[in-house]
Amino acid sequence: MRIVVYSAKPYDRQFLDAAAGSGMRMQYCEARLSLETVALAKGAVAICAFVNDDLSRPVLEKLVEMGVRLVALRCAGFNQVDIAAAEKLGLTIARVPAYSPHAVAEHTMALILALNRKIHRAYNRVREGNFALDGLLGFDLHGKTVGIVGTGKIGAIFARIAAGFGCRIIGHDPYPNPDCEALGMVYVTREELFRTSDVLALMCPLTPETRHLIRRDTLPLLKKGVMLVNTSRGAIIDTRAAIAGLKDGTIGSLGIDVYEEEADLFFEDLSNDVLRDDVFARLLTFPNVLVTGHQGFFTHEALKNIADTTIGNVQSFFDTGKALHVVSTRQLAGPA
């Protein structure tokens, strides 16, 4: 049973090999899946793909032509997949619906704390022998209003963390979560959430409704000086609009673990290369912006769960003809 793993890093090999055992032959490719690299899957019955792999209709058609029957995503999101095309082609798409929601929720709070108390700036100062406190002033999180867009598993855990800090928590989601309501969360309209949140956390899936949720015409709805944090999908924020908001003070600080055009940046060592993305380069010039390279999921527990579930999807597909966690067009309009 040969499975081609795209966008493979050393940690993927470590955890997938441990989960697969001897019954599967894993072929690891560092390259991302695209029309140029799809031929690497020739002879495989299944492939394993990640968040920035190209799973558009042309790529899916090539996979089917070569005999691939299963695409096992080692991630929860599937916005990179043409699900409707996959169904028409008879190609099964499986995913990892939950790996460690604690990992992403905790990373979100880490970004908030680091941004608020200027930890990234303080770290660099101290290493240079500068112990001055000017420019490092933060605020108490206790008593502040934290607005959460998307209160699924990750959003609910983050809500619990924020409540533990003594924050007032409000949420916006078409499917209110009883666990969040039990914490005291009040569900409000998007406009009220934008208008009243001191900290705004974006934790929703990427859908046509959430794409560019933060954009030029929604910036005026935000509370002046809001801290904006995105650990969900990059395209939920229009980066050019965010830069405009940072310049005029609408956005007081910005923390992101995802970026709309991250496919050519994240998960690679580009330290010896010229950064070609001018928008991203401009973003990095702001002292009140903190960027991490899509590492919110990156914990030992999460990687083990991702590998176990991915291999479980593959094994179930070949044992029964059906993967454990199939993605279908019905899920495209599902809850956050």
Side-chain angles (χ1 to χ4, degrees):
M1 189 186 300
R2 178 168 166 262
I3 298 117
V4 176
V5 183
Y6 284 92
S7 300
K9 300 298 181 186
Y11 45 83
D12 294 310
R13 293 171 179 253
Q14 175 189 345
F15 286 90
L16 285 171
D17 280 346
S22 59
M24 299 180 191
R25 184 160 64 92
M26 315 296 287
Q27 178 183 330
Y28 295 99
C29 305
E30 290 188 17
R32 290 203 313 268
L33 175 59
S34 66
L35 273 175
E36 289 70 36
T37 63
V38 68
L40 295 171
K42 187 175 182 180
V45 288
I47 68 160
C48 180
F50 199 44
V51 291
N52 291 324
D53 287 313
D54 180 2
L55 289 157
S56 59
R57 185 184 187 95
V59 174
L60 297 178
E61 288 174 342
K62 291 290 185 183
L63 289 172
V64 171
E65 285 175 14
M66 293 187 295
V68 173
R69 297 161 53 201
L70 170 69
V71 174
L73 301 173
R74 57 185 190 277
C75 53
F78 48 87
N79 56 277
Q80 74 276 35
V81 187
D82 189 332
I83 301 298
E87 288 186 349
K88 289 180 181 177
L89 292 166
L91 185 62
T92 297
I93 309 293
R95 66 172 182 141
V96 181
Y99 35 90
S100 174
H102 297 276
V104 179
E106 290 171 8
H107 190 75
T108 304
M109 182 53 76
L111 286 173
I112 291 169
L113 292 171
L115 269 174
N116 178 31
R117 303 307 296 269
K118 320 294 193 293
I119 302 298
H120 54 305
R121 300 184 66 190
Y123 172 80
N124 289 325
R125 282 191 188 185
V126 168
R127 289 176 65 85
E128 295 172 356
N130 179 357
F131 303 98
L133 299 182
D134 293 336
L136 302 180
L137 188 65
F139 56 82
D140 287 358
L141 275 175
H142 182 86
K144 296 299 186 293
T145 298
V146 174
I148 305 172
V149 180
T151 57
K153 290 184 177 69
I154 296 172
I157 291 171
F158 174 70
R160 192 183 313 141
I161 294 171
F165 274 80
C167 301
R168 172 180 176 252
I169 50 174
I170 58 176
H172 179 71
D173 194 303
Y175 302 88
N177 189 330
D179 292 338
C180 292
E181 291 174 321
L183 291 169
M185 174 179 282
V186 176
Y187 281 90
V188 297
T189 63
R190 186 192 68 174
E191 289 71 19
E192 184 177 349
L193 184 131
F194 282 5
R195 179 173 51 83
T196 59
S197 294
D198 300 298
V199 177
L200 178 56
L202 305 176
M203 317 197 82
C204 51
L206 179 61
T207 66
E209 290 72 30
T210 62
R211 180 177 293 275
H212 286 181
L213 188 67
I214 304 299
R215 56 186 186 272
R216 287 190 179 271
D217 63 327
T218 60
L219 284 177
L221 301 175
L222 300 176
K223 184 174 183 178
K224 188 77 170 179
V226 65
M227 176 186 288
L228 178 63
V229 180
N230 184 14
T231 53
S232 51
R233 287 291 180 266
I236 292 173
I237 294 179
D238 179 339
T239 309
R240 287 181 172 83
I243 289 172
L246 287 162
K247 288 171 67 176
D248 68 15
T250 298
I251 300 173
S253 55
L254 174 68
I256 59 172
D257 186 51
V258 288
Y259 170 60
E260 186 169 10
E261 303 298 331
E262 70 177 55
D264 293 326
L265 296 171
F266 289 1
F267 306 113
E268 305 297 336
D269 181 359
L270 305 178
S271 56
N272 292 318
D273 299 336
V274 174
L275 194 59
R276 299 181 183 275
D277 187 327
D278 292 339
V279 174
F280 189 74
R282 178 70 179 97
L283 197 63
L284 296 181
T285 65
F286 290 91
N288 54 342
V289 170
L290 182 56
V291 180
T292 53
H294 207 136
Q295 73 178 78
F297 76 101
F298 201 61
T299 67
H300 184 281
E301 292 82 359
L303 287 178
K304 184 179 185 304
N305 290 338
I306 287 170
D308 289 346
T309 304
T310 299
I311 297 302
N313 274 325
V314 175
Q315 192 65 60
S316 176
F317 181 80
F318 288 105
D319 287 347
T320 69
K322 184 176 181 181
L324 297 175
H325 306 286
V326 176
V327 181
S328 68
T329 51
R330 294 190 302 274
Q331 294 173 267
L332 297 179

